[in-house]
Structures are given as structure tokens and as C-alpha cells.
Amino acid sequence: MKFRTFIATFALFLIVFFSSLLFISVFIINNQMDIIKERGINEHYFISSSFGKDLMAIVDRGGNLGDAIEQLFNFYAEYYQKQGVYLELLSQGKIIYSNLPERSNKLTSYAIEPGIRKATFQNIGDSVYFKVVGELPGTDNRFSIQYLHDISGNLKAWQTTQRILLLVGIIFTIILAVSLQLILNRVFEPLDMVSMASRKIANGQYDNRIIVSGRHELAEMAESFNNMAEEIQRRITQLAEAFEQKQQFVDNLAHEIRTPLTSVYGFAEYIQKTTISDEEKMFAASYIMSESQYMLNISNRLLELATLRNQVIKMKVVDVNSLFEHSQKSLAAKLAENQISLKWKIDIDSTYGDKDLLQSLLVNFTDNAIKACNPGGIIVWNAYIENGCRVLSVQDNGWGIPQNEINKVTDPFYRVDKSRNRAKGGVGLGLSICEQIANCHNAVLSIESLPNVGTIVKLTFTSL
């Protein structure tokens, strides 16, 4: 592209530039020739008129015609020779006097028509002359005057001008070629960078960017390319993260159902192939039912999670005190069983959202807090305004979560302490469902925790 642009621009310049030089050169020589023609015709008229008058005056005073013609010719010839003009006197078509150096000893025949002045260019020897010939007035067409202006100097000057113009043209052509190459390199630099960056992105180097300078159109194009590359990199990162999350989800799900399925199969085979007592059958059946119930819980939670992802909820005013009371009733038995006390503090009367989903979220938060607390632990619910936003929070004084684990606790099937949570009936989907509920409410779920100090889980309503 750059090379073709260079060739096209350079060729167009050469055509226009040298055509202009040729036009200027032709115009100059034509203008000079017109001046020479006009001057020669006027001077021939003036010389022949003066010559004829002077000749008649001498003859009228009784002078000899032949002597008078020779004297007057010598006078006029000497005078005009100083100006590069030569004269020839013709009689009956033959030259009788001439001061032209190249043929001073020659007699040439000319066809002179009476009353007509002829003008033409003629090469004589190494010189070029502008020639005008016409009759000598007052001599009854017996004599004629031939005017010859040596224009060799004008032609040489024109040729010199042509050479100067050609030299100037060559110099300008070289300057243009270098300048054009520099300009095209400058102009096409963003395009070259875009091309190079495109190839790198095509090879998977999504972090490659173009250095943008200036405010011209190509700089804007380069900036747009950077924005496009930024968006591509963001989408690719999202896809990679989504793929990793899906793979992690599949791995976790396979891991979660593998143990209960193995147990169910083992106890079923044990019942089928072994003679066992009724008590042992009851134990095996109970274990099979327990593991089946666990897998059913996983199935229901996954269905709930999938439903929430596609759900658009209708926001309503939710009374916070009523929300806390209903949630406390559903958790009362578990709180009592684990000897955990629950308190709450309400600084806002209400919030907006789906009451059932918010209650599910509050119960999930609290259920996790119960699992994290030792007997005698305390859980506190808070409803307040923070930075202009309504916040619901659940705080416990349990074991806490290591800092490197906080960002992972909302992943499906992720457990900080896998053996302990599994023993308490958790399937590892509670916080994933809570995060989805937060998304349905355009709210932000955040977790602050310190090991052996406790955890605060906050739901911040950013759009209400």
C-alpha cells in the first residue's frame, strides 16, 4: 500500500512537474520568437523606408545611384551590425551587397515578389537567422532589402534555460522522492503499527497496544484499534474465566457426588450379596437414604441457582423488622441446637427487593455463621445506611476465613473446611445462591473476615 502510494504520487508529480517545465520552456521561446518577429518586421520597414528616402534624396540632388546605394548600404549595415542585425541589398533577385560573414563572397538568387514583405527563419552555417525581405521603396522594384537577425544567441540562451530547468527539475525530483518517502513513513506509521498489532493479536498476544500520538485521523484510528483490542482482551479474559469456572464447577460437582454415589453403590451391593441382620439392613438403608437426600439437596440447590440466574424480580418495599423476625423463626431450632445467640440492630425501617429471596439470603448467611461458630457464639444482624446505600449485614465471632480464601467462597461447591461443612450438611452452594440473589437486586455482596475473630457479610443495595 505504501509503495503503491509512493509510486502513484511520485509518477503524478513527475508528469505534472515536467509538463509544467516543458510548457514554461515553450512559452518562453515562443514569446521571444514573437518579439523577434515583431522587431524584425518593424526594423525592416524602418530601414527600407529610411534607405529609400535617403537614396532618392541623393539622386534628386544629382548624385550617382550606384555610389549612393553602396554608401548608404555600408552606413546602415555598419550601424545595425552592432545590434546583431545584418543587411543584404538585392537587385533582380541577386545579392549585390551583404555584410553577412558566412556568405560574404557568395551571390544567391532570391524570388522577390513586388509589394510583399516575407519573413522566415533560416539556418546559415552554424547560425540561425530571422530573415525579412522586401522591396526598397522609390526604386521601382529594382532593389530589395534583406534583413537578417542572428537569433543563435537567443536559441542558446533558451537551451541553457532548458538545461537549468531540467537540472532544477531533477533536484526537486530527488527532494520530493526523499520528502515523500519520509512523509509516507510518517503517515503510514500508525497503519504499520495496526498491521503489526493485528498479527500479534491474531497470534494470541492480546495485551499488545499501539502508541498513539497527535489528534489526526490515523491517531484516532489507532486509538479505536486499542479500544477494540482492549475489548477483545476483556472478552477473551471473561471467556477464559467462564471456562475455568465451568470446569471448576464440573470438577467440584463430580467430586461432590462421587463419594455419596460410591457409598450408595457399596451399601446396595452389601445388602444384595451378603447375608446381614435386620439391624444391619436398617443401618445400610439409613445410610443410603442419607446420601440420596444429600444428592437431592445438591440437585435442588443447583436448580435454584439456575433459576435465579434467569430471574427478573419485581422490587417491593420490604419491612426489615418483619424480615428479621421471619428469618429468626426459621433459624431458631438450629441456633438453639448449636447454642448460638442471635441479636439484631435496625437503623432503617425498610428496604426494596423480593422478601422471600432476601429471607433466603439472610438464612444462608446465618446458617454459614452458625457453622463457623463454636457453642456460645454470637451472631448479629444489622440494617443501616452506609455511604448513602442501604446495607444488610450478618456478623459472627466464629473461626473466620483466611484472606486468600475470601474470593473463592462464592464459587459453587467451594468449602473453606470441607470435612467440617460436609459433616454439618452443607453442599457448598449457599453463598453461590446468595451472590446470585445479590445480582438479582443489583446489590454488591462483600465479605470481611479475620481468622479467629469473625466474619462480616454485607449486602449493599447500590441502586435503591
Side-chain angles (χ1 to χ4, degrees):
M1 179 68 177
K2 182 170 66 176
F3 178 73
R4 284 184 291 179
T5 302
F6 175 82
I7 293 298
T9 306
F10 191 63
L12 182 62
F13 169 80
L14 292 180
I15 293 172
V16 174
F17 186 68
F18 282 97
S19 297
S20 300
L21 292 181
L22 180 61
F23 173 79
I24 292 171
S25 174
V26 172
F27 175 79
I28 291 174
I29 190 62
N30 285 339
N31 187 50
Q32 288 184 350
M33 291 301 105
D34 290 341
I35 294 173
I36 290 171
K37 287 178 183 178
E38 184 177 358
R39 174 194 167 186
I41 293 172
N42 291 335
E43 285 188 340
H44 180 273
Y45 173 78
F46 177 78
I47 293 171
S48 60
S49 300
S50 300
F51 196 106
K53 289 179 181 178
D54 294 341
L55 181 62
M56 290 303 101
I58 295 173
V59 172
D60 291 342
R61 287 195 299 267
N64 182 272
L65 178 62
D67 295 339
I69 286 179
E70 183 178 3
Q71 292 176 359
L72 288 174
F73 177 82
N74 291 334
F75 172 76
Y76 281 99
E78 182 181 358
Y79 176 77
Y80 282 99
Q81 187 173 356
K82 298 176 183 177
Q83 304 176 33
V85 175
Y86 300 92
L87 298 176
E88 290 181 332
L89 185 64
L90 292 81
S91 175
Q92 302 300 318
K94 293 182 179 180
I95 298 174
I96 57 176
Y97 298 111
S98 175
N99 66 338
L100 194 63
E102 286 85 348
R103 59 183 183 202
S104 56
N105 297 323
K106 297 180 180 178
L107 295 177
T108 305
S109 298
Y110 288 86
I112 304 300
E113 299 179 15
I116 296 177
R117 184 177 289 109
K118 292 182 178 179
T120 185
F121 292 95
Q122 184 174 357
N123 292 322
I124 302 175
D126 297 330
S127 302
V128 179
Y129 294 88
F130 176 66
K131 184 179 70 176
V132 182
V133 59
E135 64 177 336
L136 182 62
T139 60
D140 297 330
N141 295 328
R142 287 182 298 166
F143 299 97
S144 58
I145 289 289
Q146 184 160 269
Y147 169 96
L148 295 127
H149 182 194
D150 187 358
I151 62 172
S152 299
N154 299 81
L155 294 177
K156 288 180 181 178
W158 177 61
Q159 291 172 350
T160 302
T161 302
Q162 282 186 312
R163 286 194 290 270
I164 292 173
L165 290 176
L166 180 61
L167 179 62
V168 171
I170 293 173
I171 293 173
F172 269 92
T173 299
I174 295 172
I175 294 174
L176 172 74
V178 175
S179 302
L180 185 60
Q181 186 64 39
L182 294 176
I183 292 172
L184 290 179
N185 287 340
R186 178 75 174 174
V187 170
F188 279 86
E189 184 180 9
L191 293 179
D192 293 338
M193 295 173 71
V194 168
S195 178
M196 185 180 299
S198 300
R199 288 195 294 272
K200 289 184 177 179
I201 289 176
N203 292 328
Q205 300 178 23
Y206 302 109
D207 58 343
N208 193 67
R209 296 292 182 273
I210 300 173
I211 300 174
V212 180
S213 60
R215 294 185 176 276
H216 47 80
E217 290 79 0
L218 290 177
E220 292 177 359
M221 182 200 67
E223 188 173 357
S224 299
F225 179 87
N226 284 343
N227 293 334
M228 181 192 70
E230 188 76 28
E231 183 64 19
I232 290 175
Q233 184 180 17
R234 189 179 67 80
R235 294 292 181 89
I236 293 295
T237 303
Q238 286 181 343
L239 289 175
E241 291 176 352
F243 176 78
E244 186 177 355
Q245 288 176 353
K246 287 181 180 179
Q247 187 62 43
Q248 186 65 41
F249 177 82
V250 172
D251 294 344
N252 290 340
L253 178 61
H255 177 75
E256 284 296 323
I257 65 175
R258 186 172 182 274
T259 300
L261 279 175
T262 302
S263 298
V264 167
Y265 179 82
F267 275 100
E269 187 180 37
Y270 176 66
I271 294 173
Q272 182 188 39
K273 296 182 179 178
T274 307
T275 303
I276 56 177
S277 63
D278 292 341
E279 185 179 351
E280 290 173 329
K281 286 183 181 178
M282 288 297 296
F283 175 77
S286 298
Y287 202 90
I288 290 173
M289 290 176 63
S290 172
E291 294 301 290
S292 298
Q293 183 62 47
Y294 176 73
M295 288 189 288
L296 182 61
N297 289 340
I298 290 178
S299 175
N300 291 334
R301 297 296 252 176
L302 287 175
L303 181 61
E304 184 181 357
L305 190 61
T307 303
L308 285 171
R309 281 176 180 159
N310 300 318
Q311 186 173 4
V312 178
I313 63 173
K314 186 176 181 179
M315 298 289 190
K316 294 180 179 178
V317 177
V318 177
D319 183 78
V320 174
N321 189 62
S322 175
L323 175 67
F324 281 6
E325 286 181 350
H326 282 85
S327 301
Q328 191 272 338
K329 288 178 182 177
S330 64
L331 290 165
K334 185 172 288 188
L335 289 167
E337 180 185 350
N338 290 275
Q339 301 177 24
I340 307 295
S341 59
L342 174 65
K343 301 177 181 178
W344 64 70
K345 182 180 179 183
I346 300 176
D347 293 333
I348 56 175
D349 295 333
S350 62
T351 185
Y352 295 91
D354 184 292
K355 182 180 178 182
D356 294 336
L357 291 179
L358 290 179
Q359 184 172 335
S360 174
L361 179 141
L362 195 59
V363 169
N364 268 298
F365 284 168
T366 309
D367 188 56
N368 285 332
I370 292 171
K371 293 172 185 173
C373 288
N374 292 315
I378 300 174
I379 297 174
V380 179
W381 292 348
N382 269 310
Y384 56 97
I385 299 292
E386 184 178 79
N387 299 324
C389 298
R390 298 170 188 271
V391 176
L392 296 180
S393 71
V394 177
Q395 180 176 3
D396 66 63
N397 61 348
W399 306 314
I401 305 171
Q403 292 298 309
N404 60 344
E405 304 272 0
I406 290 178
N407 293 332
K408 303 175 183 176
V409 295
T410 57
D411 293 346
F413 301 112
Y414 187 84
R415 295 187 181 92
V416 176
D417 187 339
K418 295 179 174 54
S419 60
R420 187 162 49 198
N421 284 345
R422 175 71 188 277
K424 292 189 176 184
V427 297
L429 291 171
L431 285 178
S432 297
I433 294 173
C434 289
E435 186 178 49
Q436 204 58 47
I437 292 174
N439 293 337
C440 292
H441 287 79
N442 294 320
V444 175
L445 179 64
S446 59
I447 301 174
E448 300 172 8
S449 185
L450 290 175
N452 301 319
V453 175
T455 302
I456 301 176
V457 183
K458 294 197 296 185
L459 181 69
T460 305
F461 296 88
T462 58
S463 59
L464 300 175

